[in-house]
Amino acid sequence: QYKINCNAAIIDLDDGLLVVDTHSKPSAARALIEQIKTVSPKPVKFVVNTHFHPEHTTGEAALPENAKILRSAAQQQDVDEMGIKWVETFSSRSPVIADVLKGFTAFRKPAEIFEREKVLDLGDVRVRITRQGPGHTRGDTVVFVEGERVLFSGDLAMKQLYPAFATPQSSGRTWLTSLDELEKLQPRTVIGAHFPVTDASVINDYLVYLKALLARVVELKKQGMSSDDTAVQVRGEFAAKYKDWEQPIRIHPAATFLYKEAE
């Protein structure tokens, strides 16, 4: 069943707090604020969402008005072009999700839009916020706390969950480049948008999977197999190989995207 919430995080920036992802439900975001108060009296100063999908963003409506939303230009483009459409799409998936998103009509405007990277260097804490898409979405954004070597990878790397090619701009080759960049950070802890907290091995897991999937798709395409037949073939093969991963249905669209990119 589709999960309507994601892993949200709080980062202490000395003079305020940075919240990464805000849930989809305002009540969940308000509960997050109450949890924040139990660990720190500091205000929420910044908000960053790892991408525009509703379970990451729509809870921001419940956060304090003076919390500054930082958003990459690519993610803002996703919001402008597809944001409300995806709210409607998510709402159509079940009555529960429809109730969660009921009444949401607009995304908050960002306080700052950056192109590639935004660095918050405050006291003893240095945080790098980087646009890495297009992979899962065009505006995929990751957050890296340098001193602690903690990476918030969004949907670009998650533990035992098949990667989802979720928008028309998704790209397997760019996703692989992004994973290479994430590996160079040498994170100690990786917090994906969904599923358990893990370590840097999850980045390599996605690299190995996507490289193998791409190679197999290229091979079958060269043999003259159609895009749909290729997707059906590799779904069976990779679902058997990665039995412990969730949502094997995602293999089919991934193969379709990779088929278009295959040389």
Side-chain angles (χ1 to χ4, degrees):
Q1 184 177 351
Y2 186 79
K3 293 182 173 70
I4 57 174
N5 279 333
C6 62
N7 293 324
I10 307 159
I11 302 172
D12 192 332
L13 298 174
D14 288 351
D15 63 343
L17 302 173
L18 164 64
V19 173
V20 181
D21 286 339
T22 60
H23 297 308
S24 56
K25 192 173 183 179
S27 62
R30 286 191 289 270
L32 177 64
I33 294 298
E34 293 304 313
Q35 290 175 343
I36 290 172
K37 291 178 181 178
T38 67
V39 297
S40 175
K42 298 176 185 178
V44 176
K45 188 172 183 179
F46 300 108
V47 178
V48 174
N49 296 311
T50 57
H51 58 284
F52 79 100
H53 286 162
E55 81 272 31
H56 302 263
T57 54
T58 53
E60 67 188 20
L63 296 183
E65 290 185 7
N66 59 351
K68 298 178 180 179
I69 295 175
L70 308 177
R71 192 176 288 152
S72 74
Q75 190 177 119
Q76 185 61 46
Q77 188 176 0
D78 285 342
V79 167
D80 292 340
E81 294 180 4
M82 299 179 285
I84 294 301
K85 179 181 178 180
W86 272 81
V87 170
E88 294 169 351
T89 298
F90 274 46
S91 296
S92 69
R93 291 178 175 176
S94 79
V96 173
I97 300 177
D99 183 63
V100 166
L101 297 175
K102 183 179 180 180
F104 184 87
T105 58
F107 288 77
R108 282 176 58 166
K109 295 185 180 299
E112 182 178 341
I113 293 178
F114 61 93
E115 287 296 327
R116 172 64 179 173
E117 182 174 85
K118 169 71 178 178
V119 176
L120 299 175
D121 195 349
L122 302 169
D124 295 330
V125 183
R126 181 179 164 91
V127 180
R128 291 174 60 189
I129 306 163
T130 310
R131 181 258 172 144
Q132 289 287 345
H136 175 62
T137 68
R138 174 171 43 198
D140 291 324
T141 301
V142 303
V143 179
F144 183 58
V145 185
E146 291 188 344
E148 301 296 328
R149 288 168 52 203
V150 176
L151 173 68
F152 299 89
S153 58
D155 278 36
L156 287 176
M158 297 176 287
K159 186 175 177 63
Q160 294 182 327
L161 177 63
Y162 284 98
F165 287 67
T167 62
Q169 298 80 21
S170 295
S171 166
R173 295 193 181 277
T174 307
W175 201 324
L176 285 167
T177 300
S178 296
L179 291 169
D180 284 334
E181 291 299 315
L182 298 187
E183 272 204 328
K184 291 176 184 177
L185 296 173
Q186 298 183 324
R188 181 166 46 230
T189 303
V190 177
I191 303 173
H194 306 278
F195 281 52
V197 175
T198 183
D199 56 30
S201 64
V202 72
I203 301 173
N204 186 65
D205 289 344
Y206 265 38
L207 272 168
V208 170
Y209 166 77
L210 286 172
K211 285 180 179 179
L213 186 63
L214 175 59
R216 183 64 172 139
V217 167
V218 169
E219 179 183 19
L220 294 174
K221 184 175 182 178
K222 287 181 177 178
Q223 293 175 8
M225 189 173 286
S226 70
S227 175
D228 192 58
D229 287 345
T230 296
V232 171
Q233 177 70 25
V234 299
R235 177 178 176 180
E237 294 175 0
F238 282 80
K241 186 175 181 180
Y242 292 85
K243 293 180 180 178
D244 294 335
W245 286 24
E246 298 283 341
Q247 298 190 24
I249 193 173
R250 292 178 169 187
I251 302 171
H252 193 115
T256 301
F257 272 91
L258 293 175
Y259 190 95
K260 293 177 183 177
E261 296 180 275
E263 297 177 353

